Amino acid sequence: NAGVTQTPKFQVLKTGQSMTLQCAQDMNHNSMYWYRQDPGMGLRLIYYSASEGTTDKGEVPNGYNVSRLNKREFSLRLESAAPSQTSVYFCASSDLLMRGIYNEQFFGPGTRLTVL
Amino acid sequence: QKEVEQNSGPLSVPEGAIASLNCTYSDRGSQSFFWYRQYSGKSPELIMFIYSNGDKEDGRFTAQLNKASQYVSLLIRDSQPSDSATYLCAVKSGNQFYFGTGTSLTVIP
């Protein structure tokens, strides 16, 4: 049981390049999330997928797109990277504990992205 | 904008003391409340999860929730140097989780 896995672990891009961050979970969770974490800013939600087939914008979606490929996989794409997207990106998954109450989020190990 | 506020610290306590971490949130409709611990360079890991008013204890950790005051706290008893980390408060509101910026805790041997 690997939990939440992310690839790659590290990436350096030049301004204008594109890339896709991959995330997969093996806990049969319905909901998946992409966050970015910057010093002094905490975790900020980029996009989330409440269930397979749905995606919604979070707090900071500009410059990103997502795809919920199936129940296990949720990818994040940067179409034209900018230095402001230098950050640590975390994928997470969670599920309903009971009506309206969500269980904990399980986080992947993160991707450290630098855009030059 | 739904906000989660924490004191950024740093908070320093001697080994064996009680560390008290506080968090306030703006959305009265929030339903689930979480405390995560994050070591430097690592991903967040869950410490406590609470959704009913009152106290919830798990080993050396106690989470306290007061929905009327929109306040969540975490007490760490008998603090250990291994507790030195950043503690993130998170609030579930609607379909989204909202995080505070975290409180840095240092436990001094």
Side-chain angles (χ1 to χ4, degrees):
Chain A
N1 189 339
V4 180
T5 57
Q6 290 183 237
T7 55
K9 287 186 168 51
F10 300 93
Q11 184 71 49
V12 178
L13 293 177
K14 294 181 179 178
T15 297
Q17 288 185 316
S18 62
M19 78 162 295
T20 299
L21 282 64
Q22 306 286 353
C23 174
Q25 52 93 8
D26 61 3
M27 295 173 284
N28 201 36
H29 285 166
N30 283 308
S31 302
M32 298 184 73
Y33 309 81
W34 275 107
Y35 293 91
R36 61 178 290 174
Q37 188 173 36
D38 304 293
M41 299 293 290
L43 283 157
R44 292 183 293 169
L45 184 64
I46 304 171
Y47 270 93
Y48 67 98
S49 172
S51 60
E52 185 179 358
T54 69
T55 60
D56 285 286
K57 295 178 180 179
E59 183 183 353
V60 289
N62 291 344
Y64 305 95
N65 285 300
V66 291
S67 295
R68 184 73 184 266
L69 304 169
N70 48 56
K71 191 171 185 179
R72 290 186 63 250
E73 298 172 288
F74 189 38
S75 63
L76 178 71
R77 183 161 178 83
L78 286 72
E79 290 291 352
S80 179
S84 60
Q85 294 178 304
T86 293
S87 188
V88 179
Y89 291 84
F90 288 103
C91 178
S93 71
S94 69
D95 220 343
L96 274 171
L97 179 63
M98 64 184 82
R99 180 179 170 81
I101 305 296
Y102 270 75
N103 210 335
E104 67 177 291
Q105 286 186 307
F106 292 83
F107 286 85
T111 295
R112 284 145 184 81
L113 175 68
T114 300
V115 183
L116 303 175
Chain B
Q1 181 73 12
K2 296 173 182 175
E3 295 181 346
V4 179
E5 301 281 346
Q6 295 180 253
N7 289 332
S8 61
L11 174 66
S12 294
V13 300
E15 184 174 355
I18 296 175
S20 178
L21 305 166
N22 303 315
C23 173
T24 59
Y25 59 95
S26 63
D27 182 13
R28 284 194 174 275
S30 300
Q31 296 174 301
S32 310
F33 307 87
F34 306 83
W35 283 100
Y36 287 86
R37 176 175 62 200
Q38 187 175 27
Y39 293 113
S40 181
K42 301 296 185 181
S43 56
E45 55 180 342
L46 186 75
I47 299 291
M48 294 287 292
F49 158 54
I50 187 168
Y51 57 87
S52 298
N53 274 328
D55 295 358
K56 179 180 179 182
E57 187 174 318
D58 184 1
R60 297 186 294 113
F61 300 94
T62 299
Q64 299 173 317
L65 174 61
N66 184 326
K67 289 186 177 180
S69 300
Q70 296 173 246
Y71 176 88
V72 189
S73 67
L74 179 69
L75 298 177
I76 306 175
R77 291 181 300 280
D78 188 23
S79 296
Q80 301 296 310
S82 59
D83 294 326
S84 298
T86 296
Y87 289 80
L88 304 174
C89 173
V91 174
K92 182 71 167 58
S93 180
N95 284 332
Q96 300 190 30
F97 290 80
Y98 297 88
F99 284 78
T101 55
T103 298
S104 176
L105 171 67
T106 300
V107 180
I108 303 167

